[in-house]
Amino acid sequence: MSRALKLGVASAIALAAVVPVISSAKPIAFAHGTTVMAEYGAGTMEELQIFYAPRYFYSVGGGHLALQSDIDGRSRDITYARFNYLVKRWNREDSQANVFAWGGAGRANLSESSDDEFTWNAGFQVDYETRRVYASLKSDLYESSSFSHRLDTLQLAVAPYEHEYDGVATWLVVQGRRYTGEISDGTETAILLRVFKGAVWVEAGATTDGKLQAMFMLNF
Amino acid sequence: MFKSILMTGVLLMAAGVAQAGTIEMKVNGLVCAFCARGIEKSFHKNPAVADVVVSLEDKLVAVQTKEGTDIPDQELRATLTDAGYDIKTIERTDSPVAAIRERLKSLAK
């Protein structure tokens, strides 16, 4: 296990300990549910994922991640199969919290090489949600013999009102994201508006340097 | 004697089965409508279910069963677990789900 992954797992355990009741853009919806997610990340990343959950605690599927370095223009196109697992869920009267972990493998195409290569990935998400507050920390690691990239995403959100089951939910989200492996320097900060109703979830906004950040999710 | 005991038993069982009504469940973790869609989806797959209402405000899932049917507590718990939630309490009432829905709407105004 790489030092970065060990650090990631240790961080997740530490956060789970500090925040004993920790939930939303989840890789597992509900038993027999399918989740489709598409994200455009400020010109640096684009990702499409589809997962099916046979049970409430695990899902299987795959995705495609395109990374574009804003440092030297290098790009990575990673196509993968993935297994997601709900490590722990806390259902409380006014909150829900989750710890998810995942891992998978696939092929990567690098801009600096004409050959595809084997790549594996691992990650985790810790989240906490009430009807007014949302927080999540997600870390995704992609490794191959030529690269090592980690995407760490922190989201903090507040809802101006408590949504009801049949209503429209509105959230104001602040997102911070860091990349390793010379994809982007520093922390990418974005302000987003999250809206969902029924099976459709849309999140859109801009980074502090004016780039579009958007996410779309469907549960069925 | 044996016949009358048997008849009484059959009648009591029939009365229990024929009782159509509403099952009101208080549910923990019910904070997000997007995530809670699995509850409605799962219950609608059950042939005994006529109607379902979910309220985040009341942390309530109410299921109206069809005439002559009931859903055992164990099955209710399994359905909610598969949807990702935990049942706190289960109560069987005579209030139709439509009335609960109206009550929730009037409270929201």
Side-chain angles (χ1 to χ4, degrees):
Chain A
M1 189 187 281
S2 74
R3 192 163 171 257
L5 186 58
K6 277 182 183 169
L7 190 65
V9 172
S11 304
I13 293 167
L15 190 59
V18 172
V19 188
V21 281
I22 294 222
S23 169
S24 236
K26 298 169 185 168
I28 308 166
F30 40 80
H32 312 296
T34 301
T35 303
V36 177
M37 284 187 273
E39 184 175 0
Y40 178 83
T44 316
M45 65 86 79
E46 289 168 41
E47 190 168 36
L48 178 68
Q49 297 179 314
I50 181 161
F51 297 117
Y52 173 74
R55 295 294 312 275
Y56 72 96
F57 56 86
Y58 77 94
S59 69
V60 290
H64 181 85
L65 171 70
L67 293 170
Q68 178 78 44
S69 171
D70 62 13
I71 298 169
D72 58 12
R74 282 183 300 173
S75 65
R76 278 90 175 84
D77 276 293
I78 302 166
T79 305
Y80 55 85
R82 181 178 283 178
F83 176 81
N84 301 296
Y85 184 70
L86 172 65
V87 178
K88 179 74 181 168
R89 169 167 288 159
W90 293 267
N91 281 319
R92 299 285 165 91
E93 194 171 318
D94 295 308
S95 66
Q96 189 189 67
N98 300 284
V99 179
F100 295 100
W102 54 81
R107 304 293 295 175
N109 181 268
L110 287 67
S111 58
E112 62 268 35
S113 162
S114 55
D115 295 328
D116 283 3
E117 59 184 50
F118 174 78
T119 175
W120 61 269
N121 63 79
F124 71 89
Q125 177 174 316
V126 182
D127 55 51
Y128 170 78
E129 186 177 15
T130 69
R131 291 173 72 204
R132 294 298 290 268
V133 177
Y134 170 78
S136 75
L137 176 68
K138 178 174 139 179
S139 187
D140 251 323
L141 177 71
Y142 293 87
E143 292 264 357
S144 83
S145 57
S146 309
F147 64 78
S148 173
H149 299 299
R150 207 181 74 235
L151 289 72
D152 297 328
T153 310
L154 176 71
Q155 283 195 336
L156 300 171
V158 288
Y161 60 92
E162 292 183 329
H163 70 287
E164 216 0 297
Y165 183 71
D166 295 325
V168 177
T170 308
W171 290 81
L172 300 168
V173 184
V174 178
Q175 175 176 296
R177 177 173 281 163
R178 291 182 73 93
Y179 295 88
T180 66
E182 295 189 333
I183 292 295
S184 186
D185 281 333
T187 302
E188 204 177 71
T189 306
I191 307 293
L192 310 163
L193 180 67
R194 173 185 295 166
V195 178
F196 57 83
K197 179 176 168 56
V200 181
W201 170 304
V202 178
E203 199 171 280
T207 59
T208 47
D209 51 359
K211 291 176 181 168
L212 174 71
Q213 171 71 45
M215 207 266 269
F216 171 82
M217 188 161 60
L218 201 59
N219 259 354
F220 55 92
Chain B
M1 178 70 180
F2 177 75
K3 270 187 180 173
S4 61
I5 290 170
L6 191 66
M7 281 300 289
T8 309
V10 168
L11 284 171
L12 281 171
M13 279 171 69
V17 169
Q19 189 180 19
T22 298
I23 305 168
E24 294 188 32
M25 293 160 278
K26 287 283 184 182
V27 176
N28 276 348
L30 207 54
V31 292
C32 167
F34 187 76
C35 315
R37 281 178 41 78
I39 296 173
E40 206 178 348
K41 194 178 169 187
S42 301
F43 275 117
H44 277 302
K45 281 182 185 168
N46 189 322
V49 171
D51 199 1
V52 181
V53 66
V54 177
S55 167
L56 304 187
E57 178 64 30
D58 294 78
K59 296 125 187 152
L60 175 78
V61 175
V63 172
Q64 187 168 329
T65 53
K66 288 177 184 165
E67 191 72 32
T69 63
D70 188 25
I71 305 169
D73 287 3
Q74 198 179 352
E75 200 176 326
L76 294 169
R77 287 186 193 281
T79 304
L80 262 297
T81 299
D82 266 357
Y85 299 90
D86 297 325
I87 291 185
K88 200 173 159 192
T89 60
I90 301 172
E91 192 184 345
R92 284 171 171 77
T93 67
D94 295 327
S95 311
V97 159
I100 295 172
R101 193 175 277 121
E102 283 309 308
R103 176 170 59 84
L104 294 172
K105 272 186 190 166
S106 64
L107 285 172
K109 283 176 189 169

